[in-house]
Amino acid sequence: MSMPMMRPKRKNPVLRTRAPTLPPATRSRVALGLTAAAALGRFELQVCRDCGVVQYPPQETCRACLSPRLQWCKQDGGGELLSETRLDHSNDLFFRERLPWRLGWVKLDAGPALMVHVHGDVPPAPARVRVDLRLDRAGQAVLLAFPPQETPHMADDAQLREMTCDPKFRKVLVTDGKCAVGQALIEALVDAGADIVWAGHAEPWKQATGFARVAALPRVTPVPLDLTNERSVHALAGELGGKVDILVNNAEVHRTFGVSARQGTETARAEMEVNYFGLLRLAQAFGPALRARGADGEAHACAWVNLLSVYALSNFPPHGTFSASKAAALSLSQNLRADLRTGGIRVINLFPGPLDDEWNQLLPPPKLATRALADAMIRALRDGVEDVFPGDVAQEWLERWREDPKVLERELAASQAG
Ligand SMILES: [Zn+2]
């Protein structure tokens, strides 16, 4: 059984900061299909459309019948751990610093046999297991065998924590604590055992509903932060940059505004100023320190979360300029992800549909409750996924977009006319 993780001791300032190292990250193009599935928190393997064989490792053609008609399909992961070994020595820098490491050989009920990382709570082989995909510190998919049922303190397993971003005992900055979404995120982080939650607030002199209540929660500290002001962002980074383990950027400006709805660019500029340039300012101020602390102790820096929107995938004309600003932020987040990857920091993007918040009061339901969004973020951190589409509306958009982005664009244009 996993030992519950204890609060990490304060770092001895004389000790060296462990430099971030990454596990081997080379993958063939076809094997990146596993990474694409893991980024969404899915376990998929190639299935042959001609003979039905489930195959692993991924290849261009079916090993049974040579058909090139392979499709990535969801797997339940049930299987048998046949044998295992404990790695006590490694020439790889990443694993050498994290030994011992448990590995095993699993035969999936679906057919293929796999070499996997083994969670500490799996009993000695032979044993039933549930195999799943996780992204490792290098951002690539790896296979991990879990016990078939939840066990106490399962998330505290040292090997698993190397692949996830559990907020437990971590220090988190939420860039906007004043809005309804920010308050839900802060509450969820406190419930998840975060060590400190810094709650950014842009205009300290302005009262905001609910902020006093959230600011009074244990382990929550309000900090002044205005994403439109470079000096404000850098001042806070100077103070907290070396301490933040998880940065949650939820600050946004959202107006109902399209190309022909109103004249002028002022509203669109205000949206870009926070949604795009705000992210850029944060990335420049906090990115380097976060990247450098990717292996610093047990509760090292591990994640950067962006609140985007499904409208980042395809423009929703009634919220046209907002969609454009989120599309810009999505593109920038990919740049940030490539940057932070070298430190093993995961960039997680949240793509909710319409939220039940102050910006969407006039929009008819269904709308995603702010707490549901917050819970989805906590799950994403615990599972270490990259892209999250919380709620039915976002899930449906994602499927339509994956099927055909052009069709979705036309459907959304029609919603403008209606
Ligand atoms: Zn086949």
Side-chain angles (χ1 to χ4, degrees):
M1 202 172 67
S2 296
M3 292 301 287
M5 188 187 170
M6 299 315 229
R7 177 182 299 274
K9 289 204 184 80
R10 245 169 207 279
K11 192 184 162 195
N12 178 347
V14 180
L15 289 181
R16 78 177 176 115
T17 299
R18 193 163 70 174
T21 49
L22 299 180
T26 313
R27 298 289 190 280
S28 68
R29 184 157 201 273
V30 61
L32 287 175
L34 289 172
T35 298
L40 281 167
R42 299 177 183 181
F43 177 31
E44 294 178 348
L45 292 177
Q46 286 179 313
V47 177
C48 175
R49 286 158 87 169
D50 288 314
C51 75
V53 154
V54 180
Q55 82 168 0
Y56 181 87
Q59 285 182 335
E60 307 288 346
T61 55
C62 169
R63 268 197 299 283
C65 74
L66 294 181
S67 164
R69 299 194 336 121
L70 296 166
Q71 197 177 10
W72 290 95
C73 296
K74 204 168 177 298
Q75 304 293 317
D76 79 351
E80 185 93 7
L81 178 69
L82 300 178
S83 63
E84 62 171 301
T85 189
R86 202 181 82 148
L87 206 63
D88 282 300
H89 173 80
S90 173
N91 288 330
D92 183 271
L93 267 180
F94 177 84
F95 288 107
R96 199 158 73 191
E97 296 204 297
R98 291 161 177 84
L99 295 170
W101 198 271
R102 199 177 175 202
L103 296 168
W105 188 248
V106 169
K107 175 97 170 84
L108 283 185
D109 301 340
L114 327 159
M115 179 71 108
V116 298
H117 303 280
V118 182
H119 188 283
D121 288 355
V122 172
R128 283 298 295 173
V129 290
R130 180 179 56 80
V131 175
D132 206 347
L133 282 171
R134 285 288 181 275
L135 294 173
D136 67 8
R137 282 278 145 226
Q140 296 289 27
V142 291
L143 293 157
L144 187 65
F146 290 90
Q149 267 95 38
E150 275 288 311
T151 55
H153 319 296
M154 196 163 162
D156 291 351
D157 179 68
Q159 263 178 246
L160 181 59
R161 264 182 82 96
E162 285 300 337
M163 300 170 196
T164 61
C165 319
D166 196 325
K168 186 172 172 183
F169 296 137
R170 287 199 156 104
K171 298 176 173 56
V172 188
L173 169 64
V174 175
T175 58
D176 183 3
K178 276 191 161 174
C179 63
V181 168
Q183 290 169 16
L185 295 175
I186 290 166
E187 278 177 320
L189 285 162
V190 169
D191 292 348
D195 193 35
I196 299 180
V197 183
W198 289 291
H201 57 139
E203 291 155 325
W205 58 90
K206 245 193 222 169
Q207 291 288 322
T209 334
F211 185 63
R213 183 182 53 81
V214 172
L217 287 175
R219 308 196 296 282
V220 175
T221 306
V223 287
L225 176 61
D226 177 1
L227 293 199
T228 64
N229 181 330
E230 197 154 329
R231 205 180 298 168
S232 160
V233 176
H234 278 273
L236 190 66
E239 201 181 315
L240 301 182
K243 299 178 193 161
V244 173
D245 303 316
I246 300 175
L247 190 149
V248 180
N249 180 24
N250 69 306
E252 65 176 18
V253 173
H254 184 172
R255 300 279 185 275
T256 312
F257 192 71
V259 169
S260 54
R262 270 182 269 173
Q263 288 300 307
T265 56
E266 213 167 291
T267 305
R269 272 175 203 280
E271 286 171 338
M272 287 299 272
E273 206 49 63
V274 171
N275 303 354
Y276 173 76
F277 287 108
L279 171 59
L280 181 56
R281 288 183 192 101
L282 277 172
Q284 289 174 342
F286 284 87
L290 210 67
R291 190 174 50 209
R293 291 189 45 256
D296 186 14
E298 251 184 302
H300 54 79
C302 62
W304 182 299
V305 183
N306 292 310
L307 175 62
L308 300 178
S309 159
V310 277
Y311 304 161
L313 298 182
S314 191
N315 193 289
F316 183 48
H319 299 241
T321 55
F322 172 75
S323 304
S325 72
K326 290 290 183 178
L330 167 60
S331 183
L332 194 68
S333 76
Q334 292 166 338
N335 183 176
L336 181 66
R337 182 176 285 150
D339 257 28
L340 294 185
R341 202 187 64 87
T342 54
I345 307 293
R346 184 141 313 151
V347 173
I348 299 173
N349 285 334
L350 305 174
F351 297 87
L355 291 168
D356 195 5
D357 67 0
E358 56 269 47
W359 307 114
N360 286 305
Q361 281 172 3
L362 297 177
L363 202 80
K367 289 186 275 193
L368 185 69
T370 52
R371 182 65 201 213
L373 173 70
D375 290 341
M377 178 190 74
I378 300 292
R379 263 198 311 280
L381 288 166
R382 285 183 177 151
D383 292 343
V385 303
E386 275 186 1
D387 296 316
V388 189
F389 292 79
D392 294 341
V393 175
Q395 281 292 322
E396 196 204 321
W397 270 63
L398 171 65
E399 294 316 322
R400 281 157 72 185
W401 179 75
R402 280 161 71 106
E403 225 165 82
D404 194 329
K406 197 72 192 171
V407 171
L408 179 61
E409 181 197 316
R410 285 293 188 278
E411 287 174 325
L412 295 172
S415 71
Q416 168 80 324

